[in-house]
Amino acid sequence: MSTTTTTEAAPKSLFGCVRMGYLLAESNRLDEWATFAAQGLGLHVDVPRRDVVACRIDAHQRRLIVREGPAEDVIAIGWQLSDAAALQLAIARLSARGIRVQEGNTAEAALRGVDRFWFFAGPKKLRTEIFTAPVISNLPLEMKASGFVTDAAGMGHVAVTTRHPEAMQAFWKEIFDARLSDEIEDKIDGLDLDFAFLRFNERHHSFATASTRGIRLNPLRTQIHHMNLQCASLDDLTQAYLRCRVLGYPIANAIGQHPNDRELSFYVQTPSGFEIELGWNPLVVDEQTWCPTTYRGISLWGHRPENLSLRVRLGRFRRCLISLMQPEFTIRGDQS
């Protein structure tokens, strides 16, 4: 395995050098995805070939990609590193822990809209990918939204359920020098839950974990609970909310505000089952003054759940029981 040769000095820390770059999902509902992304969320949608739906929200050629396949789930998350030196440090840290890192091929890179990328099996065996150079598009964006906030903070964030939150958080702290922003305790759908929010840069969090207290269960079929995109304006948020309602997309949580990052947001279910959170105006962390806090309650107000039917509750209960019999892949120290 080789990376681009660089004369740049290796950073001592990767904090501030990492941001979410893209998310790759797999689905057999590509027509539904194209309509959902364009008409519901308001993203720019391209269909470069019949088996791919590719979405843009800024100058990056690809941000959300859905390829044809049976998973109905997220199959990879790409993290952009600031330069070759940061990339080499990340790969060195992974290799030192016995984690096999491989380079993706040219066709895979083209699908993701990057020059080159490397991948490995991350926690929960979710394929984790790292890269430095996205393909930039000069074509105008054709979106219902006026824009999305990306830049140094990246594309947004992801939240995952896990039965081993300590190991998962330790992994991101050791590899990307993630910092704990805060924690939340709440009771949702009869389960006592603990949430932890990790930041990789100035964004309040790029990665969040949710876990049950006591007996560790996983009520979700999908690898992630949700992906977040940050709208450029309040009007973008409210108009997307109204469009999703009119079009009949399942609203998982109505508009509300979180107590920790103060983001105003709503959650909508994708055609593949995981959720997308559209948000607006979260606070930006000041590293000089920030102090982690534990909050009671996932929302200050709103975020009323709208999809907790008896069928959904029974499905989650069944998956909780199944999760007890299926070990969750963790990365603890040397994996060789």
Side-chain angles (χ1 to χ4, degrees):
M1 177 189 63
S2 64
T3 60
T4 304
T5 302
T6 179
T7 57
E8 297 166 331
K12 294 182 179 179
S13 171
L14 288 180
F15 182 81
C17 299
V18 182
R19 52 194 179 272
M20 187 177 174
Y22 58 79
L23 181 142
L24 175 63
E26 187 177 270
S27 175
N28 282 324
R29 301 167 179 167
L30 294 188
D31 289 344
E32 293 178 44
W33 262 104
T35 303
F36 169 74
Q39 302 301 319
L41 302 180
L43 315 184
H44 175 105
V45 173
D46 292 316
V47 183
R49 60 188 204 224
R50 68 165 189 83
D51 62 342
V52 173
V53 171
C55 304
R56 292 174 56 207
I57 58 174
D58 57 9
H60 286 216
Q61 185 191 65
R62 305 279 166 88
R63 284 295 199 178
L64 170 62
I65 313 110
V66 186
R67 76 178 189 194
E68 190 172 36
E72 300 301 344
D73 201 356
V74 174
I75 59 171
I77 299 175
W79 300 96
Q80 183 179 0
L81 292 124
S82 57
D83 52 38
L87 175 69
Q88 290 177 346
L89 177 56
I91 291 175
R93 288 177 174 180
L94 292 163
S95 299
R97 287 162 175 77
I99 300 169
R100 186 185 182 199
V101 183
Q102 303 175 74
E103 184 172 1
N105 63 41
T106 302
E108 291 176 319
L111 173 65
R112 291 153 174 78
V114 297
D115 286 344
R116 300 171 68 185
F117 76 98
W118 289 258
F119 66 92
F120 59 93
K124 293 181 68 175
K125 287 195 174 177
L126 176 58
R127 180 157 150 155
T128 303
E129 303 179 349
I130 50 180
F131 70 100
T132 60
V135 176
I136 300 301
S137 174
N138 294 319
L139 297 176
L141 288 164
E142 297 180 6
M143 305 191 297
K144 290 186 178 296
S146 68
F148 293 87
V149 179
T150 54
D151 299 326
M155 172 184 173
H157 71 246
V158 291
V160 304
T161 53
T162 175
R163 296 175 61 205
H164 300 285
E166 297 85 2
M168 185 174 286
Q169 293 162 30
F171 173 80
W172 295 113
K173 290 176 182 178
E174 292 168 5
I175 301 301
F176 285 168
D177 295 299
R179 299 176 182 177
L180 178 68
S181 291
D182 42 51
E183 297 173 293
I184 293 178
E185 300 173 355
D186 203 351
K187 187 167 188 172
I188 301 175
D189 196 21
L191 295 174
D192 290 314
L193 297 174
D194 294 310
F195 302 87
F197 300 83
L198 302 178
R199 66 185 185 277
F200 298 167
N201 50 58
E202 65 182 19
R203 187 181 290 279
H204 176 273
H205 59 283
S206 292
F207 198 95
T209 65
S211 57
T212 56
R213 194 173 308 152
I215 299 175
R216 294 285 170 73
L217 306 166
N218 188 348
L220 299 186
R221 171 188 64 82
T222 53
Q223 281 277 19
I224 73 169
H225 176 270
H226 72 267
M227 175 190 75
N228 165 280
L229 296 174
Q230 183 181 339
C231 296
S233 72
L234 176 59
D235 190 57
D236 288 332
L237 176 69
T238 56
Q239 289 303 309
Y241 182 68
L242 293 174
R243 288 195 306 270
C244 286
R245 280 202 171 280
V246 169
L247 293 168
Y249 294 117
I251 302 297
N253 295 90
I255 287 181
Q257 188 177 29
H258 292 298
N260 52 348
D261 65 359
R262 300 290 168 147
E263 185 170 30
L264 190 69
S265 69
F266 74 94
Y267 295 74
V268 59
Q269 184 175 304
T270 70
S272 292
F274 63 89
E275 297 171 13
I276 287 183
E277 177 191 19
L278 280 188
W280 172 72
N281 200 35
L283 56 79
V284 175
V285 170
D286 180 347
E287 295 298 332
Q288 302 303 313
T289 60
W290 190 262
C291 182
T293 303
T294 298
Y295 296 86
R296 304 293 188 273
I298 194 68
S299 294
L300 276 175
W301 61 269
H303 284 149
R304 179 171 56 86
E306 298 190 6
N307 66 338
L308 290 180
S309 64
L310 178 60
R311 180 180 178 182
V312 169
R313 291 174 188 269
L314 290 175
R316 291 184 178 180
F317 178 73
R318 177 174 176 271
R319 285 189 286 271
C320 281
L321 295 179
I322 292 173
S323 72
L324 290 174
M325 299 178 285
Q326 296 177 339
E328 179 179 306
F329 179 78
T330 60
I331 299 177
R332 300 174 185 269
D334 187 357
Q335 297 294 302
S336 58

